[in-house]
Amino acid sequence: MSTSNTLNGAQVIVDYLVQEKVPTVFGLCGHGNIQFIDALFERKHDIKTVSVHHESVAGFMADVFYRVSGRPTATFTSCGPGSANLPISLANAFLDSVPFMAVTGNVPTSQFNRGAFQELYRHYQADFPFTVRSYCKKVFQPTRGEMVPLAVRQAWKTMVTGRPGPVVLDVPFDVFMEAAAEEAPKPEEWSANISSRCGADPEGVVKAVDMLLNAERPCIIVGQGVRWGGACDDLLRLAERLQIPVAASMSGLGAISMDHPLALGLVARAGHYQANHATRQADVLLALGVRFDDRTSSSWIPGYSFTIPPTKLIHVDIDPEEIGRNYPVALGLMADVRTFLRQILAELDRRADLNKQADARKKWLTAIDGYRKEWDKFVAPGFSDDTTPINPQRAALEIDKGLPDDAILVSDIGVHHNWLLGFCKPRRPDSLIGSMGFGPMGFGVAGVLGAKFAAPDRPCVSVCGDGAFFMHANVLGTAVEYNLPVVWVVWNNYAYASIRGLQRGYLNGRELATDFHNPVTGERYNPDFAAMARSAGVEGVRVDRAGDLAEAVRKGIAANRPYLIDVDIAADINPAGAGVWELPGLGQSKPGIGTRYQPA
């Protein structure tokens, strides 16, 4: 243990978190981290400790906490299986560029390479860092108390600078206890004064403005770099100033309100017709914080989401590794998106006759309005379908109708996610939160708890598939224990319906291991999720009619207590859009609306 005038390793870490104004940490106890928990106990008036029932839940909560608040937090897990449950949520945060600090316990250094209880030693002593190094920005493993101050400050700096992402601070049991320092490092001397908001080179800014002003059919496409970078207001100023329409990847939806006349909506394999058809015809495409993944890019097949070239791509990202990864660039600029947009706006202030450019956009915007009308006509029948089980498009509409403007909707992974992306209309950057890179089931089931900790005064609703909820039903207990008035809408289609759809579409309906049936009767089977919720002390109701769903969401929010809505939703309809998706070797889907664009 430390002396009276010296902090031990655990105390240094906790004190550093307090100095960084971390309000809450999420985790689960184990013999490898009890000393760290004891240090949290000493500071319980300065930092709140939340105990969960599965380690990946802690990571998902920390992830969504940041997405809502913009403030990184931390998790704590024990050695062996405790921390081995964490990589799913670490990878999710890593691929979505979300920072949190994972403090993981390990066996004592005196027991390294002896095969102590829960030690990974067969390849290298205390080898948990090797397990997770592909799933985070960096792993730090101090092996003496005096190494902890350096490790914790470097870990935090790594986490929040450049392209943000999670870090792992792996601490042997005895290092938590060893004397480490008389005081923890001071953030104001290390990370607090570091800015990663680098701008683009001035010549590149001038060239970008020239390209945008000379374009006849310009488009902007935004990703999560705009949302996480706090660039939404600047984006709107640029779009309105030059009358350039704005499309969004799945990660960028909400960067501008979907009600705005310049908002095109979703570009994706199931994207909106006006969005896909505009971006694939654009002569200049300004991409801000976009990865150009396969779902956004229609598996990179030209003419469905994009046609690059001949479209000239201006790609701006804080991570140069993403620029030129999947498409050639006419101009690639490494920059913080917000800083870049402000540079562009300043350059426009030096230009004359911008009104002429805005007038020139009218023909382009009129054409896009025509595409929007075609899309609206295409999707209209689904909005009035009153069949049972509930049409999933109608379900997405009714859920959206039931949400107040300040609600936070946290989506899980599954076919419902595609329906929400297509037919909910987020009005602010944090209205609709989903996992876009790693795609783990359970993200939304657990993440909604993190959203509520981040925004206790805002309604927080999770829409999650029946499969994902059953995997992580332990969240019911956490919501009760911490009195978190969140609402789960269980999209109950009695199947892993997203994957069953692939079996039907690509494998001629050879279905196996993708739906849930009673082995005796053959009837579809699931637990009674509403009854399950009630058994845990959570209000639970069942909805079978589309017309009742919006009101059920309103009642769930108004209850101001943990609330679950089990919704019977049809599993035989998949969202159709203007793009395609390819599973190499199995084939390519067909667009639901429009055809492949072939430039003249």
Side-chain angles (χ1 to χ4, degrees):
M1 294 292 292
S2 63
T3 66
S4 59
N5 294 322
T6 306
L7 300 176
N8 63 30
Q11 290 168 329
V12 165
I13 298 169
V14 171
D15 188 63
Y16 191 83
L17 295 177
V18 170
Q19 290 186 73
E20 287 284 5
K21 297 180 173 57
V22 172
T24 311
V25 293
F26 309 100
L28 203 147
C29 64
H31 79 276
N33 65 2
I34 58 171
Q35 188 63 37
F36 181 73
I37 295 173
D38 191 56
L40 288 169
F41 178 84
E42 293 176 343
R43 303 297 297 274
K44 62 184 178 181
H45 298 299
D46 300 314
I47 188 169
K48 184 178 180 65
T49 300
V50 174
S51 172
V52 300
H53 297 283
H54 194 279
E55 288 84 359
S56 64
V57 166
F60 292 143
M61 290 172 70
D63 180 318
V64 178
F65 184 96
Y66 174 82
R67 298 188 199 221
V68 172
S69 69
R71 300 167 66 186
T73 184
T75 62
F76 59 93
T77 54
S78 187
C79 49
S83 293
N85 276 331
L86 195 62
I88 288 175
S89 46
L90 274 174
N92 183 70
F94 186 43
L95 293 187
D96 279 7
S97 305
V98 175
F100 72 87
M101 179 182 287
V103 180
T104 60
N106 212 321
V107 301
T109 56
S110 61
Q111 297 178 2
F112 276 16
N113 209 33
R114 302 188 71 180
F117 181 54
Q118 297 182 334
E119 182 194 10
L120 292 171
Y121 69 95
R122 299 267 183 101
H123 294 286
Y124 188 76
Q125 59 190 22
D127 207 13
F128 180 73
F130 184 87
T131 306
V132 292
R133 68 180 185 180
S134 296
Y135 289 173
C136 63
K137 283 190 75 174
K138 193 168 182 178
V139 186
F140 298 80
Q141 189 189 59
T143 52
R144 300 190 308 275
E146 64 193 37
M147 297 170 66
V148 172
L150 175 67
V152 70
R153 69 169 174 79
Q154 288 187 342
W156 191 274
K157 187 203 78 168
T158 299
M159 178 178 71
V160 298
T161 54
R163 182 177 184 171
V167 295
V168 173
L169 182 60
D170 188 64
V171 185
F173 180 82
D174 55 320
V175 176
F176 278 135
M177 301 172 64
E178 284 183 7
E182 292 185 359
E183 60 181 8
K186 297 185 183 303
E188 62 270 21
E189 297 176 356
W190 296 100
S191 59
N193 297 322
I194 299 174
S195 172
S196 294
R197 290 196 177 276
C198 55
D201 74 273
E203 291 181 0
V205 172
V206 171
K207 185 175 181 181
V209 169
D210 289 341
M211 292 174 68
L212 291 173
L213 292 180
N214 291 325
E216 295 181 1
R217 301 181 307 280
C219 272
I220 298 171
I221 181 166
V222 297
Q224 65 192 18
V226 174
R227 295 167 69 188
W228 299 170
C232 298
D233 291 342
D234 300 289
L235 167 69
L236 185 59
R237 281 195 285 273
L238 175 62
E240 290 180 338
R241 190 165 185 180
L242 295 184
Q243 288 296 290
I244 299 178
V246 179
S249 72
M250 291 174 284
S251 301
L253 276 178
I256 68 171
S257 171
M258 288 287 286
D259 294 330
H260 195 282
L262 290 172
L264 296 174
L266 176 68
V267 174
R269 58 177 182 173
H272 302 153
Y273 182 57
Q274 66 271 14
N276 279 50
H277 202 40
T279 54
R280 65 198 183 197
Q281 291 184 83
D283 54 356
V284 174
L285 181 66
L286 173 59
L288 302 171
V290 181
R291 292 191 301 122
F292 289 111
D293 66 288
D294 59 324
R295 294 181 298 171
T296 299
S297 304
S298 293
S299 296
W300 308 289
I301 300 170
Y304 289 107
S305 291
F306 310 106
T307 316
I308 307 170
T311 296
K312 296 177 181 178
L313 175 62
I314 306 170
H315 195 173
V316 182
D317 202 287
I318 199 169
D319 184 354
E321 292 294 321
E322 295 297 351
I323 300 172
R325 178 185 297 280
N326 289 316
Y327 287 113
V329 293
L331 178 62
L333 297 170
M334 186 192 80
D336 167 71
V337 169
R338 190 178 77 178
T339 304
F340 168 78
L341 286 170
R342 292 179 180 180
Q343 289 178 293
I344 290 286
L345 291 166
E347 177 62 23
L348 289 172
D349 287 340
R350 292 187 280 271
R351 303 294 182 104
D353 297 327
L354 294 182
N355 289 334
K356 292 182 180 179
Q357 297 302 129
D359 291 341
R361 301 280 184 262
K362 290 180 180 178
K363 181 180 178 181
W364 175 226
L365 294 176
T366 299
I368 289 171
D369 283 339
Y371 310 150
R372 186 179 282 109
K373 289 182 174 67
E374 291 184 63
W375 173 252
D376 291 343
K377 182 179 179 180
F378 173 71
V379 300
F383 291 138
S384 58
D385 188 345
D386 207 26
T387 56
T388 301
I390 299 170
N391 180 305
Q393 181 182 318
R394 176 78 185 276
L397 172 70
E398 296 297 330
I399 291 168
D400 199 41
K401 283 167 57 177
L403 298 172
D405 287 345
D406 65 340
I408 300 168
L409 180 60
V410 186
S411 174
D412 209 274
I413 291 299
V415 70
H416 68 278
H417 189 43
N418 296 325
W419 287 109
L420 297 178
L421 289 166
F423 299 103
C424 288
K425 292 187 175 181
R427 296 166 183 85
R428 50 193 286 177
D430 58 0
S431 291
L432 177 58
I433 293 174
S435 167
M436 305 304 178
F438 200 57
M441 295 172 70
F443 167 79
V445 181
V448 71
L449 302 177
K452 195 64 182 178
F453 275 111
D457 297 328
R458 294 175 61 187
C460 295
V461 178
S462 166
V463 178
C464 48
D466 47 337
F469 184 79
F470 204 8
M471 285 183 185
H472 295 84
N474 62 79
V475 296
L476 294 170
T478 303
V480 172
E481 290 163 20
Y482 292 92
N483 192 27
L484 297 172
V486 301
V487 178
W488 290 278
V489 178
V490 179
W491 190 284
N492 192 350
N493 51 27
Y494 296 85
Y496 297 121
S498 179
I499 308 307
R500 190 173 69 177
L502 299 181
Q503 291 175 333
R504 292 178 174 180
Y506 293 93
L507 298 172
N508 298 316
R510 295 193 298 277
E511 300 173 24
L512 182 67
T514 51
D515 57 11
F516 315 139
H517 282 97
N518 184 302
V520 177
T521 66
E523 296 293 319
R524 57 184 192 159
Y525 163 78
N526 251 330
D528 184 335
F529 292 117
M532 180 187 294
R534 291 192 295 270
S535 74
V538 173
E539 184 71 25
V541 299
R542 171 82 171 185
V543 172
D544 300 302
R545 294 180 60 254
D548 297 333
L549 183 50
E551 183 59 24
V553 172
R554 295 186 194 103
K555 286 182 177 179
I557 293 170
N560 200 32
R561 57 174 295 185
Y563 201 96
L564 182 141
I565 306 167
D566 182 7
V567 189
D568 187 6
I569 296 186
D572 297 329
I573 309 171
N574 287 308
V580 298
W581 201 44
E582 182 179 36
L583 287 177
L586 293 181
Q588 177 184 315
S589 64
K590 298 183 184 305
I593 179 173
T595 59
R596 186 175 186 178
Y597 171 69
Q598 301 282 358

